[in-house]
Amino acid sequence: MFDAMLQRFVHMFEIVAAEGHGSLWMVLFIGFVFGAIIQWSRVDKFEKIAGFAMLEDMTVPKMLFFAIGFASIFLYFLIEIGMAHYHVKPVMLGGLVIGAVLFGIAMAIFGKCPGTGPISVAEGRIDVLVGAIGGIFGGLFFTWAYPWLEPIMGPDYGELTLPQFFEGQEHLVVLVYGLALIAVAFALPNIEYLDPEDHEEKVEI
């Protein structure tokens, strides 16, 4: 059993290595830029995620809607000219629903997501480090238990993308979709959650 699990891990890394994500320097550069943007926008802070979960802080959704809308447009056209490529995962309804519920609960409790967590670890946050270690072991458990979990992952609808449903109008659909998300980002109210300490600091000022 251990040998079979080890082979799955090795195969997983072989798949990732063969995808050709660019040079190591390019990956590092993108990582540094991503980290800088996250820290500048402060969405790696617990109060931002917690405030979002309570609908008392719109910083995270505004950033997400804008980033997804902007990236959707430009990534699609980069793919069209051959400078990028998709790696679409299959739509497995059971796994998506269960995973979304677990992810949402954990994100609300932990106050971090897989993108902001490593940045907080780099800042020296011990609580986030403990959570990151837990996430690694959770991934190991999922990989080990996948043969037993697979039956509840379906139904599998295959690798679906939005433009597939609008054959002949793909460019227009992507453009409208991206601009709509950007519009939502600007339409969301500029409200920011402040914890009790922040309130006290503002009163003193």
Side-chain angles (χ1 to χ4, degrees):
M1 183 172 60
F2 178 76
D3 290 339
M5 184 171 65
L6 181 61
Q7 289 177 2
R8 287 205 300 273
F9 281 127
V10 172
H11 182 59
M12 176 180 66
F13 284 106
E14 288 175 347
I15 292 174
V16 174
E19 288 180 351
H21 293 292
S23 69
L24 178 61
W25 295 111
M26 178 59 71
V27 173
L28 285 173
F29 173 74
I30 294 173
F32 282 125
V33 172
F34 177 79
I37 293 173
I38 293 295
Q39 283 201 311
W40 177 76
S41 59
R42 298 187 300 135
V43 294
D44 63 322
K45 305 303 180 186
F46 174 81
E47 59 268 22
K48 294 296 179 185
I49 306 296
F52 174 37
M54 297 183 290
L55 299 180
E56 294 182 9
D57 192 310
M58 293 292 108
T59 305
V60 172
K62 285 175 75 72
M63 181 179 181
L64 286 176
F65 276 113
F66 182 82
I68 295 172
F70 183 83
S72 296
I73 296 172
F74 284 92
L75 177 61
Y76 181 81
F77 286 102
L78 284 175
I79 292 170
E80 286 291 290
I81 62 177
M83 294 185 64
H85 65 276
Y86 282 130
H87 185 67
V88 182
K89 298 295 184 182
V91 176
M92 303 180 73
L93 191 59
L96 283 175
V97 172
I98 296 172
V101 171
L102 292 176
F103 182 87
I105 293 172
M107 187 171 172
I109 294 173
F110 191 48
K112 302 291 174 182
C113 72
T116 58
I119 295 171
S120 295
V121 172
E123 293 175 343
R125 295 283 300 276
I126 301 300
D127 58 328
V128 184
L129 176 61
V130 173
I133 294 172
I136 292 172
F137 278 101
L140 291 172
F141 173 78
F142 179 79
T143 302
W144 172 75
Y146 186 79
W148 295 279
L149 297 174
E150 190 172 8
I152 67 172
M153 300 292 286
D156 187 345
Y157 292 102
E159 300 176 355
L160 299 178
T161 62
L162 185 61
Q164 291 177 2
F165 296 96
F166 301 91
E167 188 175 352
Q169 301 294 330
E170 292 88 348
H171 295 72
L172 179 61
V173 169
V174 171
L175 182 62
V176 171
Y177 172 76
L179 292 176
L181 292 182
I182 293 173
V184 170
F186 282 101
L188 288 173
N190 291 317
I191 57 175
E192 189 172 355
Y193 173 76
L194 298 175
D195 60 25
E197 293 182 0
D198 290 327
H199 282 295
E200 291 175 5
E201 290 177 3
K202 288 215 165 190
V203 170
E204 291 176 2
I205 293 174

